[in-house]
Amino acid sequence: MDAKVDDVLKLDDVLNATTVAIAWSDRLTQLVEYVNPAFVDLFGYTLEDVKDSNVWLNSFYPDATFLKDVFLPWREAEDKRQDQGLPAAQLELQVRCKDNRARYVRLRYKIVGNKRLIHFVDITDYWVTSQRLRLRSEMLDMVVTGSSLPEMLDAIVKKVQDEIPDSLCSVLLLDESGKRLMVGAAPDMPDSYNNAIHGIEIGANVGSCGAAAFLNKRVVVEDINNHENWQAYLPLTRDAGVAACWSQPVRGTNGRVIGTFAIYHTKPTAPSEKDIELINFASNLASIAIENRTNHQALQYRAYYDHLTGLANRGYFFEQAEAAIEAARVGHHSLAMIMMDVDLFKEVNDQYGHKVGDMVLQALSSACTEELRSDDIIGRMGGEEFAVILSNTPQSQVLEVAERLRSKLASLSVVSDDQVAITFTASLGVAYTQQGDKCSIDSLLVKSDKALYKAKEGGRNCVVLETFEPLLIV
């Protein structure tokens, strides 16, 4: 065996322990000969699933056009590059996991002997954030340029379908009477299905969308064939080839239902946490498109800010954070990120209900707004997690701010409907760099997340600091 290959094969223990997804294949036979546990965790495929090269390619890269026109030519060119002694290049692409979900990865490999040692970096969250920011911007442009409502809703539907492969989406609009749903956008649903449900009367047991509009709450039906809401419509759903439907009410600024956003699947399917985030995002954009086409100010607010807390949402926070990082690079001044997470928030929700949980998040956001400077950046990252950017602030002052926030939150309480005062605490992780040109948004997130994890492990209700190495260059 080639000595270099032998060296690689001796790395089994190291590769099995790493959190990076690793595989290697034979360059001549194209057979996959090894995948590490991180690969299995990330994609769901075991070695038995992918050792056949055809299964590997056709399962992992299900887009035949992409496989033929992009991936295989890139791999051939990359082999030649490395044969010439040039450094390895990388390719960003979508892959299909065993559970049929899509992931977006950055792929790079190194040729060692006749083997390709391949590693995959998961960039799904970054890709999703970028796509959602792009969609929001595109929709804003469509409003400004006077695009029609169907055009805007079609754009939202298609972007969501891109994010969840093999899904079909629709937006239904509540009519002026508030009793019937009309098809607003369902470009890939069969015409027969759209025609049948156009004008359907809402009700507590009317499918998913009719129920969501009537009850003003999300209705998730994982298996249409075995759910009471759908029994009257089974011939219709079978003809359409759909077996699951998750529907989210689209609400106006006054909280009233103005439509629904639905995600259909061809097989019985339960939504993940990320799916719930996506349907919330989509229904929020649909709400903007439906209600505020001519109201630019309201449109911007709903697109950029979290509806519950009034803070910048995740996408807008990242936009502002990137601007702050650029300013720090130019000015060579310090930068800090504080990640906050409400301690035992699930227990608060479970014990007192989501209404109290929402009150806790609102109390936290109000306290942070009061304590922070007007030019500090704060946003809700999702769930009970919040983030703050402090620019040009000495480390000692950053820690003072974090400790002041922690102490302030620990002193607060919210009162439930039955007049019980509920207190809560938060853990804070701080990432600090003396020179802003030595960090990126990703590195700040990694550092602050690490610090937050230590704060949680250290007993909660505390502040932990992580600093950048002086010579770290990104």
Side-chain angles (χ1 to χ4, degrees):
M1 179 180 294
D2 188 292
K4 291 184 178 180
V5 176
D6 188 46
D7 288 341
V8 171
L9 297 178
K10 290 179 180 178
L11 292 177
D12 277 8
D13 290 340
V14 175
L15 298 181
N16 286 340
T18 184
T19 58
V20 177
I22 301 288
W24 73 58
S25 64
D26 188 285
R27 183 179 175 184
L28 300 178
T29 65
Q30 311 301 335
L31 294 179
V32 180
E33 298 178 342
Y34 168 84
V35 296
N36 71 343
F39 180 98
V40 179
D41 290 342
L42 184 60
F43 302 119
Y45 295 109
T46 65
L47 180 59
E48 288 302 314
D49 295 323
V50 299
K51 65 192 308 182
D52 181 287
S53 59
N54 289 326
V55 173
W56 161 265
L57 293 176
N58 296 325
S59 298
F60 213 54
Y61 312 113
D63 185 335
T65 301
F66 175 86
L67 180 64
K68 176 177 178 292
D69 296 341
V70 179
F71 179 75
L72 293 178
W74 175 83
R75 189 178 69 181
E76 181 179 354
E78 180 64 9
D79 282 355
K80 292 178 180 178
R81 280 173 46 81
Q82 294 197 32
D83 287 342
Q84 296 169 6
L86 297 174
Q90 64 184 24
L91 179 66
E92 292 185 0
L93 69 162
Q94 180 192 93
V95 298
R96 186 70 58 86
C97 299
K98 190 174 182 178
D99 64 3
N100 212 37
R101 294 184 184 274
R103 282 196 179 275
Y104 295 84
V105 298
R106 186 175 294 124
L107 178 154
R108 177 181 290 167
Y109 67 84
K110 177 69 175 176
I111 292 177
V112 183
N114 286 325
K115 309 294 180 183
R116 293 190 187 94
L117 182 62
I118 315 161
H119 76 267
F120 304 85
V121 176
D122 184 11
I123 58 170
T124 303
D125 288 344
Y126 172 79
W127 184 90
V128 167
T129 298
S130 299
Q131 291 298 307
R132 293 183 187 178
L133 287 172
R134 184 176 294 112
L135 173 57
R136 188 194 63 205
S137 297
E138 288 175 357
M139 198 187 72
L140 290 173
D141 289 340
M142 294 175 78
V143 170
V144 171
T145 57
S147 297
S148 69
L149 180 59
E151 286 176 327
M152 289 188 284
L153 296 180
D154 273 4
I156 297 170
V157 163
K158 288 183 179 297
K159 289 292 186 180
V160 174
Q161 291 178 172
D162 287 344
E163 194 167 324
I164 305 182
D166 298 330
S167 68
L168 298 171
C169 300
S170 73
V171 180
L172 303 183
L173 309 177
L174 198 62
D175 71 358
E176 292 183 2
S177 73
K179 295 181 179 180
R180 296 183 179 278
L181 290 170
M182 319 300 287
V183 175
D188 296 315
M189 293 293 290
D191 289 340
S192 58
Y193 187 89
N194 289 336
N195 293 336
I197 66 170
H198 188 72
I200 194 169
E201 188 169 350
I202 65 175
N205 299 303
V206 179
S208 298
C209 296
F214 184 85
L215 300 171
N216 194 3
K217 69 177 185 180
R218 183 187 312 120
V219 174
V220 173
V221 175
E222 299 174 8
D223 185 354
I224 284 174
N225 291 324
N226 294 300
H227 196 282
E228 60 181 357
N229 283 20
W230 285 92
Q231 295 308 301
Y233 312 103
L234 290 183
L236 186 63
T237 60
R238 287 168 182 163
D239 286 345
V242 293
C245 181
W246 322 325
S247 184
Q248 175 79 14
V250 177
R251 302 183 181 95
T253 52
N254 57 8
R256 294 179 181 175
V257 177
I258 58 177
T260 61
F261 190 98
I263 300 177
Y264 294 85
H265 283 272
T266 57
K267 297 178 180 179
T269 309
S272 66
E273 183 178 337
K274 291 185 181 297
D275 292 330
I276 296 300
E277 287 183 5
L278 175 59
I279 200 171
N280 282 333
F281 169 79
S283 65
N284 188 43
L285 279 188
S287 171
I288 297 168
I290 297 166
E291 190 180 49
N292 298 306
R293 283 172 290 170
T294 59
N295 190 333
H296 186 67
Q297 183 178 1
L299 179 65
Q300 281 192 317
Y301 183 85
R302 292 291 299 277
Y304 285 88
Y305 293 93
D306 175 60
H307 74 282
L308 178 66
T309 64
L311 301 177
N313 61 24
R314 183 183 180 93
Y316 188 38
F317 175 83
F318 279 132
E319 282 189 7
Q320 295 180 92
E322 290 284 11
I325 290 172
E326 181 60 27
R329 286 174 180 153
V330 173
H332 301 287
H333 58 67
S334 66
L335 200 68
M337 176 179 281
I338 302 173
M339 293 292 290
M340 284 183 291
D341 188 275
V342 179
D343 295 326
L344 304 176
F345 184 68
K346 185 177 185 301
E347 293 185 11
V348 173
N349 273 334
D350 291 345
Q351 185 171 355
Y352 300 105
H354 289 281
K355 181 179 179 181
V356 169
D358 288 349
M359 292 167 63
V360 166
L361 300 180
Q362 290 169 332
L364 180 149
S365 63
S366 296
C368 290
T369 301
E370 292 171 4
E371 292 292 332
L372 295 170
R373 302 169 301 189
S374 60
D375 57 348
D376 294 331
I377 302 168
I378 178 170
R380 184 182 179 192
M381 304 299 284
E384 68 273 24
E385 191 172 65
F386 298 79
V388 177
I389 291 286
L390 303 177
S391 297
N392 205 15
T393 306
Q395 179 177 305
S396 59
Q397 291 185 23
V398 171
L399 291 175
E400 287 176 9
V401 170
E403 179 57 31
R404 192 166 66 245
L405 288 173
R406 184 208 63 77
S407 178
K408 175 77 171 180
L409 298 177
S411 70
L412 297 178
S413 64
V414 297
V415 180
S416 66
D417 288 341
D418 52 3
Q419 300 305 303
V420 175
I422 298 111
T423 59
F424 63 94
T425 62
S427 299
L428 293 85
V430 181
Y432 181 85
T433 177
Q434 185 63 40
Q435 292 180 280
D437 58 351
K438 303 299 184 186
C439 72
S440 67
I441 187 66
D442 289 336
S443 59
L444 280 171
L445 283 170
V446 169
K447 286 281 186 182
S448 56
D449 273 338
K450 182 179 180 181
L452 178 59
Y453 177 80
K454 289 182 178 179
K456 293 287 188 182
E457 289 293 298
R460 306 185 180 90
N461 189 27
C462 62
V463 176
V464 172
L465 170 70
E466 285 282 330
T467 59
F468 284 78
E469 295 294 331
L471 297 179
L472 177 66
I473 299 175
V474 176

